[in-house]
CSV table of all heavy atoms in Angstrom, one decimal:
chain,number,residue,atom,x,y,z
A,1,ARG,N,2.4,-14.9,-1.4
A,1,ARG,CA,2.6,-14.4,-2.7
A,1,ARG,C,2.0,-13.0,-2.8
A,1,ARG,O,2.6,-12.1,-3.4
A,1,ARG,CB,2.1,-15.3,-3.8
A,1,ARG,CG,2.8,-16.7,-3.9
A,1,ARG,CD,2.5,-17.4,-5.2
A,1,ARG,NE,1.0,-17.6,-5.4
A,1,ARG,CZ,0.4,-18.7,-4.9
A,1,ARG,NH1,1.2,-19.6,-4.3
A,1,ARG,NH2,-0.8,-18.9,-4.9
A,2,PHE,N,0.8,-12.8,-2.3
A,2,PHE,CA,0.2,-11.5,-2.4
A,2,PHE,C,1.0,-10.5,-1.6
A,2,PHE,O,1.2,-9.4,-2.2
A,2,PHE,CB,-1.3,-11.6,-1.8
A,2,PHE,CG,-1.9,-10.2,-1.7
A,2,PHE,CD1,-2.7,-9.8,-2.8
A,2,PHE,CD2,-1.9,-9.5,-0.5
A,2,PHE,CE1,-3.4,-8.6,-2.6
A,2,PHE,CE2,-2.5,-8.3,-0.4
A,2,PHE,CZ,-3.2,-7.8,-1.5
A,3,LEU,N,1.4,-10.8,-0.5
A,3,LEU,CA,2.2,-9.8,0.3
A,3,LEU,C,3.5,-9.4,-0.4
A,3,LEU,O,3.9,-8.3,-0.4
A,3,LEU,CB,2.5,-10.4,1.7
A,3,LEU,CG,1.3,-10.4,2.6
A,3,LEU,CD1,1.7,-11.2,4.0
A,3,LEU,CD2,0.7,-9.1,2.9
A,4,ARG,N,4.2,-10.4,-0.9
A,4,ARG,CA,5.5,-10.1,-1.5
A,4,ARG,C,5.2,-9.3,-2.8
A,4,ARG,O,5.9,-8.3,-3.0
A,4,ARG,CB,6.1,-11.3,-1.9
A,4,ARG,CG,6.7,-12.2,-0.7
A,4,ARG,CD,7.7,-13.2,-1.1
A,4,ARG,NE,8.3,-13.9,0.1
A,4,ARG,CZ,7.8,-15.1,0.5
A,4,ARG,NH1,6.7,-15.6,-0.1
A,4,ARG,NH2,8.3,-15.6,1.6
A,5,THR,N,4.3,-9.7,-3.7
A,5,THR,CA,4.0,-8.9,-4.9
A,5,THR,C,3.4,-7.5,-4.6
A,5,THR,O,3.9,-6.6,-5.2
A,5,THR,CB,2.9,-9.6,-5.7
A,5,THR,OG1,3.4,-11.0,-6.0
A,5,THR,CG2,2.6,-9.0,-7.0
A,6,ASN,N,2.6,-7.4,-3.6
A,6,ASN,CA,2.0,-6.1,-3.2
A,6,ASN,C,3.1,-5.2,-2.7
A,6,ASN,O,3.1,-4.0,-2.9
A,6,ASN,CB,0.9,-6.3,-2.3
A,6,ASN,CG,-0.2,-5.2,-2.4
A,6,ASN,OD1,-0.2,-4.3,-1.5
A,6,ASN,ND2,-1.0,-5.3,-3.4
A,7,THR,N,4.0,-5.7,-1.9
A,7,THR,CA,5.1,-5.0,-1.3
A,7,THR,C,6.0,-4.4,-2.4
A,7,THR,O,6.4,-3.3,-2.4
A,7,THR,CB,5.9,-5.9,-0.4
A,7,THR,OG1,5.1,-6.3,0.7
A,7,THR,CG2,7.2,-5.0,0.2
A,8,ASP,N,6.3,-5.3,-3.4
A,8,ASP,CA,7.1,-4.8,-4.5
A,8,ASP,C,6.4,-3.7,-5.3
A,8,ASP,O,7.0,-2.7,-5.8
A,8,ASP,CB,7.4,-5.9,-5.5
A,8,ASP,CG,8.4,-7.0,-4.8
A,8,ASP,OD1,9.1,-6.6,-3.8
A,8,ASP,OD2,8.4,-8.1,-5.2
A,9,LEU,N,5.1,-3.8,-5.5
A,9,LEU,CA,4.3,-2.8,-6.3
A,9,LEU,C,4.3,-1.4,-5.5
A,9,LEU,O,4.5,-0.4,-6.2
A,9,LEU,CB,2.9,-3.2,-6.4
A,9,LEU,CG,2.6,-4.3,-7.3
A,9,LEU,CD1,1.2,-4.8,-7.3
A,9,LEU,CD2,3.0,-4.0,-8.8
A,10,HIS,N,4.3,-1.5,-4.2
A,10,HIS,CA,4.3,-0.2,-3.4
A,10,HIS,C,5.7,0.4,-3.4
A,10,HIS,O,5.9,1.6,-3.3
A,10,HIS,CB,3.8,-0.5,-2.0
A,10,HIS,CG,2.3,-0.8,-1.9
A,10,HIS,ND1,1.5,0.2,-2.3
A,10,HIS,CD2,1.6,-1.7,-1.4
A,10,HIS,CE1,0.2,-0.3,-2.1
A,10,HIS,NE2,0.3,-1.5,-1.5
A,11,ARG,N,6.8,-0.4,-3.5
A,11,ARG,CA,8.1,0.1,-3.5
A,11,ARG,C,8.4,0.7,-4.9
A,11,ARG,O,9.1,1.8,-4.9
A,11,ARG,CB,9.1,-1.1,-3.3
A,11,ARG,CG,9.2,-1.5,-1.8
A,11,ARG,CD,10.0,-2.7,-1.7
A,11,ARG,NE,10.2,-3.1,-0.3
A,11,ARG,CZ,10.6,-4.3,0.1
A,11,ARG,NH1,11.0,-5.2,-0.8
A,11,ARG,NH2,10.7,-4.6,1.4
A,12,SER,N,7.9,0.2,-5.9
A,12,SER,CA,8.3,0.7,-7.3
A,12,SER,C,7.2,1.5,-8.0
A,12,SER,O,7.5,2.3,-8.9
A,12,SER,CB,8.7,-0.4,-8.2
A,12,SER,OG,7.6,-1.4,-8.3
A,13,GLY,N,5.9,1.2,-7.6
A,13,GLY,CA,4.8,1.9,-8.3
A,13,GLY,C,4.5,3.3,-7.9
A,13,GLY,O,5.1,3.8,-6.9
A,14,PRO,N,3.7,4.1,-8.6
A,14,PRO,CA,3.3,5.4,-8.2
A,14,PRO,C,2.4,5.4,-6.9
A,14,PRO,O,1.7,4.5,-6.6
A,14,PRO,CB,2.5,5.9,-9.3
A,14,PRO,CG,1.9,4.6,-10.0
A,14,PRO,CD,3.0,3.6,-9.8
A,15,LYS,N,2.5,6.5,-6.1
A,15,LYS,CA,1.8,6.6,-4.9
A,15,LYS,C,0.4,7.2,-5.1
A,15,LYS,O,0.1,8.4,-4.8
A,15,LYS,CB,2.6,7.5,-3.9
A,15,LYS,CG,4.0,6.9,-3.6
A,15,LYS,CD,4.0,5.5,-3.1
A,15,LYS,CE,5.4,5.1,-2.8
A,15,LYS,NZ,5.5,3.7,-2.3
A,16,THR,N,-0.5,6.4,-5.7
A,16,THR,CA,-1.9,6.9,-6.0
A,16,THR,C,-2.8,6.1,-5.0
A,16,THR,O,-2.6,5.0,-4.7
A,16,THR,CB,-2.2,6.6,-7.4
A,16,THR,OG1,-2.1,5.2,-7.7
A,16,THR,CG2,-1.3,7.4,-8.4
A,17,THR,N,-3.9,6.8,-4.6
A,17,THR,CA,-4.9,6.2,-3.8
A,17,THR,C,-6.2,6.4,-4.4
A,17,THR,O,-6.5,7.4,-5.1
A,17,THR,CB,-4.7,6.8,-2.4
A,17,THR,OG1,-5.0,8.1,-2.4
A,17,THR,CG2,-3.4,6.5,-1.7
A,18,PHE,N,-7.2,5.6,-3.9
A,18,PHE,CA,-8.7,5.9,-4.2
A,18,PHE,C,-9.1,7.1,-3.5
A,18,PHE,O,-8.6,7.5,-2.4
A,18,PHE,CB,-9.5,4.6,-3.9
A,18,PHE,CG,-9.1,3.5,-4.7
A,18,PHE,CD1,-8.4,2.4,-4.2
A,18,PHE,CD2,-9.5,3.4,-6.1
A,18,PHE,CE1,-8.1,1.3,-5.0
A,18,PHE,CE2,-9.2,2.3,-6.9
A,18,PHE,CZ,-8.5,1.2,-6.3
A,19,SER,N,-10.2,7.7,-3.9
A,19,SER,CA,-10.7,8.8,-3.3
A,19,SER,C,-11.2,8.5,-1.9
A,19,SER,O,-11.3,9.4,-1.0
A,19,SER,CB,-11.9,9.5,-4.1
A,19,SER,OG,-12.9,8.5,-4.3
A,20,ALA,N,-11.7,7.2,-1.7
A,20,ALA,CA,-12.2,6.8,-0.4
A,20,ALA,C,-11.0,6.6,0.6
A,20,ALA,O,-11.3,6.4,1.8
A,20,ALA,CB,-13.0,5.5,-0.5
A,21,ALA,N,-9.8,6.6,0.1
A,21,ALA,CA,-8.6,6.2,0.9
A,21,ALA,C,-8.1,7.4,1.8
A,21,ALA,O,-7.2,7.3,2.5
A,21,ALA,CB,-7.6,5.6,0.1
A,22,ALA,N,-8.7,8.6,1.6
A,22,ALA,CA,-8.3,9.8,2.3
A,22,ALA,C,-9.5,10.5,2.9
A,22,ALA,O,-10.6,10.4,2.4
A,22,ALA,CB,-7.5,10.7,1.4
A,23,GLY,N,-9.2,11.2,3.9
A,23,GLY,CA,-10.3,12.0,4.6
A,23,GLY,C,-10.0,12.2,6.0
A,23,GLY,O,-9.1,11.6,6.7
A,24,PRO,N,-10.8,13.1,6.7
A,24,PRO,CA,-10.5,13.5,8.1
A,24,PRO,C,-10.8,12.2,9.0
A,24,PRO,O,-10.2,12.2,10.1
A,24,PRO,CB,-11.5,14.6,8.4
A,24,PRO,CG,-12.6,14.3,7.3
A,24,PRO,CD,-12.0,13.8,6.1
A,25,ASN,N,-11.6,11.3,8.6
A,25,ASN,CA,-11.9,10.1,9.5
A,25,ASN,C,-11.3,8.8,9.1
A,25,ASN,O,-11.7,7.7,9.5
A,25,ASN,CB,-13.4,10.0,9.6
A,25,ASN,CG,-14.1,11.2,10.2
A,25,ASN,OD1,-13.9,11.6,11.3
A,25,ASN,ND2,-15.0,11.8,9.5
A,26,VAL,N,-10.3,8.9,8.1
A,26,VAL,CA,-9.7,7.7,7.6
A,26,VAL,C,-8.2,7.8,8.0
A,26,VAL,O,-7.6,8.7,7.8
A,26,VAL,CB,-9.8,7.6,6.1
A,26,VAL,CG1,-9.1,6.4,5.5
A,26,VAL,CG2,-11.3,7.6,5.7
A,27,THR,N,-7.7,6.7,8.6
A,27,THR,CA,-6.3,6.5,8.9
A,27,THR,C,-5.4,6.5,7.6
A,27,THR,O,-5.8,5.7,6.7
A,27,THR,CB,-6.1,5.2,9.8
A,27,THR,OG1,-6.9,5.3,10.9
A,27,THR,CG2,-4.6,5.1,10.1
A,28,ALA,N,-4.4,7.2,7.6
A,28,ALA,CA,-3.5,7.3,6.4
A,28,ALA,C,-2.9,5.9,6.2
A,28,ALA,O,-2.6,5.1,7.1
A,28,ALA,CB,-2.5,8.3,6.6
A,29,ALA,N,-2.6,5.6,5.0
A,29,ALA,CA,-2.0,4.3,4.6
A,29,ALA,C,-0.5,4.3,5.1
A,29,ALA,O,0.1,5.4,5.3
A,29,ALA,CB,-1.9,4.1,3.1
A,30,ALA,N,0.0,3.2,5.6
A,30,ALA,CA,1.3,3.1,6.0
A,30,ALA,C,2.3,3.5,5.0
A,30,ALA,O,2.2,3.2,3.8
A,30,ALA,CB,1.6,1.7,6.5
A,31,SER,N,3.4,4.1,5.5
A,31,SER,CA,4.5,4.5,4.5
A,31,SER,C,5.4,3.4,4.2
A,31,SER,O,6.0,3.3,3.1
A,31,SER,CB,5.3,5.7,5.1
A,31,SER,OG,5.8,5.3,6.4
A,32,ASP,N,5.4,2.4,5.1
A,32,ASP,CA,6.3,1.3,4.8
A,32,ASP,C,5.5,0.3,3.8
A,32,ASP,O,4.4,-0.1,4.0
A,32,ASP,CB,6.5,0.5,6.2
A,32,ASP,CG,7.3,-0.7,6.0
A,32,ASP,OD1,8.5,-0.6,5.9
A,32,ASP,OD2,6.8,-1.9,5.9
A,33,PRO,N,6.2,0.0,2.8
A,33,PRO,CA,5.5,-0.8,1.7
A,33,PRO,C,5.0,-2.2,2.3
A,33,PRO,O,4.0,-2.7,1.9
A,33,PRO,CB,6.7,-1.0,0.7
A,33,PRO,CG,7.6,0.1,0.9
A,33,PRO,CD,7.5,0.4,2.3
A,34,HIS,N,5.9,-2.8,3.1
A,34,HIS,CA,5.5,-4.1,3.7
A,34,HIS,C,4.2,-4.0,4.5
A,34,HIS,O,3.3,-4.8,4.4
A,34,HIS,CB,6.6,-4.7,4.5
A,34,HIS,CG,6.3,-6.1,5.0
A,34,HIS,ND1,5.9,-7.2,4.1
A,34,HIS,CD2,6.3,-6.6,6.2
A,34,HIS,CE1,5.7,-8.3,4.8
A,34,HIS,NE2,5.9,-7.9,6.1
A,35,GLN,N,4.1,-3.0,5.3
A,35,GLN,CA,2.9,-2.8,6.1
A,35,GLN,C,1.7,-2.4,5.3
A,35,GLN,O,0.6,-2.8,5.6
A,35,GLN,CB,3.2,-1.7,7.2
A,35,GLN,CG,2.0,-1.4,8.1
A,35,GLN,CD,1.6,-2.6,9.0
A,35,GLN,OE1,2.4,-3.6,9.1
A,35,GLN,NE2,0.4,-2.6,9.5
A,36,HIS,N,2.0,-1.6,4.3
A,36,HIS,CA,0.9,-1.2,3.3
A,36,HIS,C,0.3,-2.5,2.7
A,36,HIS,O,-0.9,-2.6,2.5
A,36,HIS,CB,1.4,-0.3,2.3
A,36,HIS,CG,0.3,0.5,1.5
A,36,HIS,ND1,0.5,1.5,0.8
A,36,HIS,CD2,-1.1,0.3,1.5
A,36,HIS,CE1,-0.6,2.0,0.3
A,36,HIS,NE2,-1.6,1.2,0.8
């Protein structure tokens, strides 16, 4: 249920991230909603 709901949120919701989610030593989030 979490994966399906979270996938739908990433498909339709705004592309916002926490400040800790970006940086030179942090891998970028997956562009694919299901993988995210």
Side-chain angles (χ1 to χ4, degrees):
R1 290 195 301 271
F2 174 86
L3 289 176
R4 292 193 179 94
T5 303
N6 210 256
T7 300
D8 293 339
L9 288 174
H10 288 304
R11 284 173 178 164
S12 59
K15 305 300 182 181
T16 58
T17 59
F18 294 107
S19 59
N25 298 298
V26 178
T27 303
S31 57
D32 180 78
H34 183 54
Q35 180 63 16
H36 198 168

